[in-house]
Amino acid sequence: MRRLGLVGLVCLFVMAGLTATASSAQAFALICSGKTKAQVAACDTSGYADVMHQMHWRMYAGHNCTNYVAYRLKRNGVPEPKILMGNARDWHTNAKKLGYVVDNRPAVGAIAQWSKASSHVAYVEEVGPKHLILSEDSYTSKVYRRYKVSTGDSWYPERFIHFKDLGAPGAPVPTPTPTPTPAPAPAPTPVKASVAVSAPAKVSTRIAPKVTVKVSASRVAPVGKVHIRRGGVTVKTVNLTAASKGTATVAIPKMKRGKQWISAVYVGNSQIRKSTSRTIKVVVTKPPKVVSAKTTIALPKGPYATGARPAATVTVKPTDGRVVTNKISVYVDGKRIASPALTKAKRGKVSVRLPALAPGKHTIRATYWGSKTVRRSYAKAVSFTVVEPTTAGVTLDKSSVGPAEPAHVTATVTTTRKVAPTSGEVWVLADGVKVAAATLTPAARGSVRIALPALEPGTRKIAVQYRGATFQTASASPEVPLVVRDRSVTTTALSATSVKATASAKLTVTVQSGRGAALTAGTITVKAGTKTIATATVTAASKGKVVVTLPKLAVGKHAITAAFSGTDLVDPSAAAARTLTVTK
């Protein structure tokens, strides 16, 4: 197993495949075992159960073979090694490094070790003529064991490590007395519980009253059933869990008119005794002929888009919980939109679908018209907002502009009703960054032309964003490309200003962008006067510089010029004329 920081480690010993049998090839004969702290304490005699949660010699705490033998060695007075002993399979190697004896002779207090088929260590409790008593803990099975293994058994240790034997290796040992099986630990005495019950002092016969029960016990969280009793008869049972923290509230059935006596009985468990609360008095009265009611309106969370029709829920609750009937009128902006009828089956609740409304602020209210037993009531008005989705678009005056040429975009914003917003800000984004803005006005009718600042040469992605208004949502246009061309600079140099008629001069042409970068595409045209005498192509390999061999020219003076044709991203340019003299 791998280390966890500096914590060392666990056993790879899997006991599930080793069973105790009566044959000569058996694994071992189990004496006792335990998983819980109480079970380990009943099986172990060294006190490990009380400290198994701690790390010994920096071993992994809990059920772990290395942690257990480290505890036993520490208890025997063996000092903690200066090095980490590591996994169980490494103990014999590390023990030799520390100078301890490792051999095949068992001794009480020695450490039995396996490293071939399994990675495991155990503590030698007893050495007999033909058997050993071993104790161990296991990380894999999470079980502590004490067992007898005989010479020749399949689980007899591979070797023994002598840190501090309690008996010399190989020394004769008296015939051991059988290890008595420890008596099981006595069960803890249940603690006393305190139970309290509370309920309204006075209720109507129409009400199912709520009763609260609280159970408390010293140092133990109460769990289990609580019976709520009325007049000595159980009318409700509630189950307390650890999450309940000893308290539960439950509605009990409606009661007849008169005095009723309520109590609670906690049934208890193995840790807490059964306990009963004091009895409380609840006076049950005849309900009044006419009661008040509370009417409320609930709406889904807004705002709502135009065309949406959210449902409003209107609830009528009489003060004594009786069933309500009769009609409810629902009004939006002062206009009645529905008059649903309450029936017994609806239990005081109806749902009303709102009509499609124009963008803006609106108000909804409701009136319950009352009945013979319930008074009329009015719901408090609830305000809500309806907003309209928008669509933004962008167009360019030109899809390509020169380095000093102004660029403009036209932003258009409309709504689902094809009505232009009369307010709100519009942003222009270039490559996702805001570069310009304008505000919509009623006169703009949803369209505004915006000048762009000077942009870096290249293909820029232009989009507009409508930032929204009070009753309009925000929207964004798709991106459109805008090519911003760069200027170019063309220069020339002659290899010689004078050549004979029988020779050819060379012209070096250099083409750069306005930012000084070498160009990688385009055509160069060389002229003598007005006549084209040579052409060349700019490539990535030329890095903006081309050497042109001029043809043989007539005797005389010639004005040599070179012009760059430009590209989609770079404007054309021409170099100043160079004078070439041709002699006989």
Side-chain angles (χ1 to χ4, degrees), residues 367-533:
T367 300
Y368 167 63
W369 293 105
S371 65
K372 291 182 180 180
T373 59
V374 182
R375 296 186 183 95
R376 181 184 302 181
S377 62
Y378 304 91
K380 184 178 179 181
V382 176
S383 297
F384 61 95
T385 303
V386 176
V387 296
E388 189 167 27
T390 64
T391 302
V394 61
T395 57
L396 301 172
D397 284 9
K398 294 181 179 180
S399 60
S400 178
V401 294
E405 185 179 359
H408 292 79
V409 301
T410 299
T412 304
V413 184
T414 186
T415 65
T416 54
R417 296 177 299 149
K418 305 301 180 183
V419 176
T422 58
S423 63
E425 193 176 20
V426 176
W427 287 4
V428 181
L429 308 180
D431 298 331
V433 179
K434 177 186 175 185
V435 295
T439 302
L440 291 179
T441 63
R445 297 182 179 180
S447 181
V448 60
R449 188 169 182 264
I450 305 171
L452 301 184
L455 300 175
E456 286 291 322
T459 301
R460 309 271 77 88
K461 295 178 180 179
I462 306 298
V464 298
Q465 281 186 357
Y466 175 56
R467 306 296 291 178
T470 306
F471 302 117
Q472 279 86 33
T473 62
S475 58
S477 73
E479 292 180 329
V480 295
L482 172 64
V483 177
V484 180
R485 300 190 305 275
D486 198 357
R487 68 187 183 89
S488 66
V489 177
T490 303
T491 57
T492 58
L494 284 168
S495 59
T497 57
S498 178
V499 296
K500 292 184 177 182
T502 57
S504 296
K506 291 185 178 181
L507 180 69
T508 301
V509 184
T510 303
V511 185
Q512 292 180 319
S513 70
R515 294 170 292 168
L519 299 182
T520 59
T523 302
I524 296 172
T525 303
V526 181
K527 293 184 178 181
T530 59
K531 183 180 179 181
T532 299
I533 59 174

Side-chain angles (χ1 to χ4, degrees), residues 49 60 63 68 140 254 340 434 476 513 578:
Y60 195 91
H63 283 295
Y68 171 71
T140 304
K254 297 176 184 178
K434 177 186 175 185
S513 70
R578 299 281 182 180

